[in-house]
Amino acid sequence: MDVQPLAPPEVEGTENGVITAHAGAPRLVVRIGPYTGMSAGDEVRLRWDTGVPRTSLVDTRLIVASGVGASALFHLPRPAPGRVRVSYAVGHPDGRWSVSPHMTVTIAG
């Protein structure tokens, strides 16, 4: 079975690749939309790459039966200003992996 291409992730509040940090909003939401072949048991692995190991992160969600066809949401602490590369990978129970295109986001302070 062929692996279908994934759409890039969506970072809520991004306009033209920029997020303006607001003091009252302590978290960001990254949305991974439903994808072709989504099934229970899939592992969605988000990569938030700042270029600095202690401020970059990888987070994982396991797709359960009730989550098939819905977006996977990742809630991240409000990051420091700078540029971030955001992408994700999907691992299927049969061992196949797909990787999304990355998007670059600038966090403005």
Side-chain angles (χ1 to χ4, degrees), residues 41-108:
D42 287 354
E43 179 180 312
V44 179
R45 187 175 297 168
L46 175 73
R47 181 169 185 195
W48 181 269
D49 184 3
T50 64
V52 179
R54 64 179 168 62
T55 61
S56 293
L57 69 88
V58 173
D59 196 2
T60 303
R61 297 283 180 275
L62 184 64
I63 302 298
V64 296
S66 62
V68 173
S71 294
L73 301 178
F74 292 84
H75 298 269
L76 309 177
R78 176 65 66 178
R83 291 175 60 90
V84 180
R85 286 174 48 111
V86 186
S87 62
Y88 66 99
V90 174
H92 301 281
D94 65 5
R96 292 175 299 125
W97 281 87
S98 302
V99 178
S100 76
H102 77 273
M103 67 177 295
T104 301
V105 176
T106 300
I107 310 298

Side-chain angles (χ1 to χ4, degrees), residues 15-26:
E15 290 187 33
N16 299 318
V18 176
I19 297 173
T20 303
H22 298 289

Side-chain angles (χ1 to χ4, degrees), residues 1-13:
M1 183 162 134
D2 291 332
V3 176
Q4 297 293 320
L6 298 171
E10 299 174 30
V11 181
E12 291 184 2

